[in-house]
Amino acid sequence: MKIAVVTPLFPIRQEPFRGQPIYLTVRELAKVTDLHVFCPQAKYPPISFLQPKSYVYYPPDTSYQPDVPTTYLEYPALPLISRPLNGWACYRSVLPHIKRYQPDAILSYWLYPEGYASMLVGKELDIPVVVGARGSDLSANLDSVVRSKTQKTMSQVDGAVMVSEELRQRAISFGGNPETVRTVLNGCDTNIFHPQDRHLARRDLSLPEDSKIILFVGHLNAAKGVRELFTAVSQLKAQYPGIKLVMVGDGGIQQELPALASSLGIESNVYLAGKAKAPEISRWLAAADVFSLPSYAEGCPNVVIEALACGRPVVATTVGAIPDLVSEKTGLLVPPRDASALSVALDKVLRQEWNSEVIAGLWNRGWDQVARETLSLLESVSSKKILKLNRINLTSE
């Protein structure tokens, strides 16, 4: 099968880890299909007041190639002003490339403008289109223009892959066909994330053998529930005087965290470990008693999957795909923004005996599985498209 992937969320030289879940899925798809990625980027005028605050523009580096065939493209844009036209501009940019490539199907990640553009290309070239959403591109607070374009996209594409059941239901409410909107959860690299010896990991990381260790991995911002996690640990300190909260990540409110820990009386219980790469994260997970992610909102957080693959119980919030990932056999869920509930859940998990091999066995999901499920939908909608075209041809004869 020949697939054109259209997405702005893909590695570039300046950001080699951009769009990792998409990249890892596509890399696996490329092993079993003929595949090419088209990565369109909005190009804004080189004038400071015409540059959007939330967007960092990097000129395409055509010499940069991930280990998947990729073409980097541009389309013109202006902050806010061009938003209604960005889908059309993106369509005009990718159309000639996809026309030359002649794929059997288009797989597009990010609904507007790229998914909308892919839908237009599919209609013009009579190619089936499957779109994928990550979360914020289907949020409830989309502005009227993007909402309208997103609804048109969802109602006219041939299928969609969503990273959670919650997002699948939202996609259906936006006009997606329930029969062809599927939930495809993220995966992880099980060669890196798997059960390891806790004692060895603690020794390697110079962690106390007898302490209860809670691990957080992610961007250190308020929306990840970082403040609530600090408060919860302060409430647990009486039961567990030697408790350790290890924070892996940076950015956001990082600078205020030492003062917050001091104000809560847990400065000696918190360790800010900084950013870490996947193999280091797997060691932190091996050393931990429990992983916690008390976010206010999520799509399908890879770090939860990685924690489960390492056999660690998870205490997290009931947002995004997390309820699809965590069951009573693998951890506990709490409402977001509730430090007391978080404290109680962490205490319950710390008191319980957990078998890491059992937890990992319940969640052993590699990116090859994500690719297989995605390909299954692409093959299904392509077959239906061929049957439909054959019927039309027979009727015309």
Side-chain angles (χ1 to χ4, degrees):
M1 190 174 190
K2 197 172 184 180
I3 302 170
V5 177
V6 180
T7 180
L9 303 175
F10 213 67
I12 61 175
R13 187 176 298 281
Q14 298 87 345
E15 297 179 12
F17 297 104
R18 176 190 281 183
Q20 279 297 287
I22 295 170
Y23 163 72
L24 293 168
T25 301
V26 167
R27 188 177 66 176
E28 292 298 322
L29 276 172
K31 294 177 181 178
V32 293
T33 66
D34 183 352
L35 181 148
H36 194 101
V37 177
F38 300 93
C39 182
Q41 303 287 325
K43 181 180 181 180
Y44 294 87
I47 304 169
S48 59
F49 71 89
L50 290 178
Q51 293 283 328
K53 295 179 180 178
S54 60
Y55 182 85
V56 178
Y57 169 71
Y58 297 107
D61 183 346
T62 55
S63 67
Y64 177 76
Q65 284 290 301
D67 54 356
V68 176
T70 306
T71 298
Y72 295 93
L73 311 167
E74 291 182 311
Y75 61 90
L78 290 170
L80 297 177
I81 297 171
S82 71
R83 184 172 293 172
L85 300 174
N86 284 350
W88 182 85
C90 183
Y91 150 74
R92 295 299 300 171
S93 175
V94 301
L95 174 63
H97 297 274
I98 295 178
K99 193 172 185 177
R100 282 194 296 271
Y101 185 60
Q102 297 184 326
D104 300 308
I106 299 171
L107 174 61
S108 183
Y109 292 100
W110 202 258
L111 294 177
Y112 186 81
E114 289 76 18
Y116 180 88
S118 298
M119 178 269 294
L120 294 178
V121 172
K123 284 189 171 298
E124 177 153 341
L125 302 181
D126 211 5
I127 299 171
V129 177
V130 170
V131 295
R134 310 310 298 172
S136 56
D137 49 343
L138 256 184
S139 68
N141 58 354
L142 296 176
D143 65 51
S144 59
V145 170
V146 176
R147 176 175 288 272
S148 173
K149 301 290 187 181
T150 301
Q151 288 173 332
K152 185 173 183 180
T153 301
M154 289 306 311
S155 64
Q156 298 196 29
V157 294
D158 300 276
V161 287
M162 300 290 137
V163 294
S164 70
E165 181 59 26
E166 176 193 65
L167 205 59
R168 177 179 177 271
Q169 293 302 324
R170 199 182 305 167
I172 292 169
S173 74
F174 270 71
N177 182 347
E179 294 183 3
T180 57
V181 179
R182 296 185 185 175
T183 299
V184 177
L185 301 171
N186 284 346
C188 74
D189 187 341
T190 52
N191 291 318
I192 296 174
F193 297 99
H194 53 82
Q196 301 176 53
D197 187 275
R198 177 180 292 163
H199 304 292
L200 288 177
R202 290 195 177 190
R203 187 190 67 187
D204 293 346
L205 295 167
S206 301
L207 293 170
E209 184 63 40
D210 57 349
S211 290
K212 296 294 185 181
I213 297 176
I214 301 169
L215 178 67
F216 168 94
V217 179
H219 192 62
L220 303 180
N221 63 32
K224 291 291 185 181
V226 170
R227 294 192 182 101
E228 286 83 356
L229 186 53
F230 273 50
T231 301
V233 170
S234 73
Q235 294 172 0
L236 290 168
K237 187 177 178 181
Q239 299 101 292
Y240 309 99
I243 194 169
K244 298 290 183 184
L245 171 61
V246 177
M247 307 292 289
V248 176
D250 63 3
I253 59 172
Q254 179 180 359
Q255 300 304 317
E256 74 175 60
L257 294 183
L260 176 62
S262 179
S263 69
L264 293 168
I266 56 170
E267 60 268 35
S268 63
N269 304 92
V270 175
Y271 176 58
L272 301 179
K275 289 184 72 173
K277 294 182 179 179
E280 297 171 84
I281 293 171
S282 72
R283 296 301 283 161
W284 283 115
L285 284 164
D289 292 286
V290 57
F291 174 79
S292 186
L293 185 71
S295 301
Y296 300 170
E298 285 287 351
C300 185
N302 265 67
V303 68
V304 170
I305 297 173
E306 292 162 357
L308 296 172
C310 288
R312 289 296 166 259
V314 172
V315 173
T317 42
T318 54
V319 298
I322 294 176
D324 299 323
L325 304 173
V326 180
S327 70
E328 60 184 13
K329 295 180 180 180
T330 58
L332 291 174
L333 298 179
V334 298
R337 304 174 188 265
D338 191 334
S340 295
L342 180 62
S343 175
V344 170
L346 287 168
D347 182 37
K348 287 182 179 178
V349 169
L350 289 171
R351 290 178 185 276
Q352 187 174 336
E353 290 293 327
W354 299 88
N355 186 310
S356 61
E357 297 292 341
V358 170
I359 294 174
L362 290 170
W363 195 265
N364 186 9
R365 181 178 176 82
W367 289 108
D368 56 338
Q369 179 66 25
V370 178
R372 284 195 296 271
E373 292 172 15
T374 304
L375 181 59
S376 173
L377 179 58
L378 286 162
E379 291 174 336
S380 175
V381 299
S382 296
S383 298
K384 289 178 182 177
K385 194 89 171 182
I386 292 170
L387 287 172
K388 184 178 179 180
L389 288 173
N390 288 340
R391 290 193 191 103
I392 292 171
N393 291 335
L394 287 170
T395 302
S396 63
E397 291 173 0

